[in-house]
Amino acid sequence: AKLAQLTHGSLLRLHLLSCSVAWCLNFASKGSEIWVGVYVERLGLRHISRSIYFFSLGGKVLGDLVNVKLSERLGRIRTLQLCFISSSALLFCFLAASSAPSLLLLAAAQNFFVDIIWCNMYTYLAEAFPTSVRSSAFGISMGVGRSGAVVSTALGGVLPALEVAFALYGGAFFLGGLLCLCFKLETSGRSLADVV
């Protein structure tokens, strides 16, 4: 019965869209996260290959602190759009940067936005689906999304240059932002009447 409900009309559209956005998020965020240390080492900046992870973590913590107010002010869908596009732009700036301070700051800023995407994606998916299929739809969407992480981590090792992989990660963030334009139901500030 749940599968029939998930594959019917607007729920099928929402589910396919959710899977696609989750795939873009996992592909872009996990790929860039895994390969960032190797990337800076190849730039000859071995001394920041560990520090960059701490700067990234700092950006994520700050993202957690800002997330609630930002999504309350803009709504979840606009927040997702803004943060996907910002993550894309910052990742392309990261590719153009060459100094240690600029790479560290860009990594922190990009992960600030990535963390906000994760927070809003989890919340949005939990709120957008009706109670009867909520956990199944959420699980399938995020499960499909995880395949993007598997692909992206492998991709960095098989391409001739990590710059190509990072450009693909930036493109996936941008595509995720465009796909978020297709979300129709804004859930921020709404009570979930069908919650049990």
Side-chain angles (χ1 to χ4, degrees):
K2 284 185 183 184
L3 186 58
Q5 201 173 359
L6 274 174
T7 57
H8 186 265
S10 63
L11 274 186
L12 175 62
R13 180 188 169 284
L14 176 61
H15 197 236
L16 292 174
L17 181 59
S18 299
C19 287
S20 300
V21 173
W23 195 92
C24 288
L25 173 58
N26 277 275
F27 178 83
S29 70
K30 296 305 178 184
S32 59
E33 185 178 313
I34 294 293
W35 288 102
V36 69
V38 176
Y39 179 75
V40 296
E41 283 181 8
R42 290 187 184 171
L43 288 177
L45 300 169
R46 181 179 274 283
H47 64 285
I48 68 163
S49 66
R50 300 255 192 276
S51 303
I52 202 156
Y53 289 112
F54 290 107
F55 273 78
S56 297
L57 181 62
K60 289 179 181 182
V61 170
L62 188 58
D64 282 336
L65 297 174
V66 171
N67 171 56
V68 174
K69 290 294 183 192
L70 187 64
S71 64
E72 283 176 0
R73 171 166 254 156
L74 298 179
R76 294 205 202 293
I77 295 172
R78 285 178 121 175
T79 300
L80 283 167
Q81 293 165 352
L82 169 73
C83 292
F84 265 111
I85 300 303
S86 298
S87 293
S88 176
L90 287 165
L91 199 51
F92 283 112
C93 289
F94 186 85
L95 280 173
S98 57
S99 71
S102 61
L103 288 166
L104 292 171
L105 290 174
L106 285 165
Q110 195 249 346
N111 279 282
F112 166 82
F113 288 108
V114 168
D115 190 72
I116 294 173
I117 297 169
W118 279 106
C119 292
N120 278 279
M121 190 68 186
Y122 277 121
T123 306
Y124 184 78
L125 292 180
E127 293 173 344
F129 289 100
T131 303
S132 58
V133 295
R134 184 168 291 149
S135 60
S136 298
F138 178 86
I140 292 170
S141 294
M142 293 315 284
V144 168
R146 293 289 185 213
S147 69
V150 173
V151 171
S152 70
T153 54
L155 191 65
V158 298
L159 290 174
L162 273 178
E163 290 83 1
V164 175
F166 275 81
L168 291 172
Y169 304 148
F173 276 127
F174 187 77
L175 178 59
L178 291 179
L179 288 171
C180 286
L181 292 170
C182 299
F183 283 133
K184 301 295 182 206
L185 174 67
E186 177 55 65
T187 62
S188 183
R190 295 180 57 180
S191 62
L192 298 178
D194 62 346
V195 173
V196 178

